[in-house]
Amino acid sequence: QVQLVESGGGLVQPGGSLRLSCAASGLTSDYYAIGWFRQAPGKEREGVACINNSGGSTYYADSVKGRFTISRENAKNTVYLQLNSLKPDDTAVYYCAIASVCGSPEIWGWGQGTQVTVSS
């Protein structure tokens, strides 16, 4: 069974940076994509970024383009999300999810989430 564990969340001031990590275990294939989602209080969960198996295909929500960067380290089965120029609107619980490719409706598993709070 695939398991995902997120880490790296915390409290940061506006304009600051954080790096989130999503470590996968229990994988039976090297072919997978990992996406990051977030959910703020009272709002629906939204997709933030995704990276396909090769690492050459990445996707970002318009709200984070130019500020967030997704990358992966296949040897460690880990995907990172670098969050720069953070804004209070970025405050949310961030989740990672795994699927065969970005955009697939068949999610194999979700992480438990990590809280990101942007506040002065």
Side-chain angles (χ1 to χ4, degrees), residues 19-40:
R19 190 177 80 155
L20 307 183
S21 298
C22 174
S25 61
L27 296 168
T28 58
S29 170
D30 290 334
Y31 190 86
Y32 60 90
I34 287 186
W36 284 95
F37 297 77
R38 67 185 181 185
Q39 187 165 21

Side-chain angles (χ1 to χ4, degrees), residues 11-96:
L11 173 64
V12 63
Q13 292 186 341
S17 298
L18 285 172
R19 190 177 80 155
L20 307 183
S21 298
C22 174
S25 61
L27 296 168
T28 58
S29 170
D30 290 334
Y31 190 86
Y32 60 90
I34 287 186
W36 284 95
F37 297 77
R38 67 185 181 185
Q39 187 165 21
K43 295 187 178 180
E44 293 186 354
R45 185 176 294 182
E46 64 171 342
V48 174
C50 189
I51 187 166
N52 275 325
N53 179 69
S54 66
S57 298
T58 57
Y59 305 91
Y60 297 94
D62 288 343
S63 58
V64 306
K65 280 181 182 177
R67 301 189 299 121
F68 291 7
T69 302
I70 191 169
S71 61
R72 63 191 289 162
E73 189 171 359
N74 287 340
K76 294 184 177 181
N77 291 330
T78 300
V79 169
Y80 305 98
L81 186 67
Q82 179 69 40
L83 288 63
N84 295 331
S85 302
L86 283 162
K87 307 174 182 179
D89 284 349
D90 294 318
T91 296
V93 178
Y94 284 70
Y95 301 88
C96 60

Side-chain angles (χ1 to χ4, degrees), residues 97-116:
I98 188 169
S100 58
V101 295
C102 291
S104 171
E106 296 184 16
I107 302 296
W108 298 342
W110 292 88
Q112 82 287 354
T114 186
Q115 177 71 48
V116 172

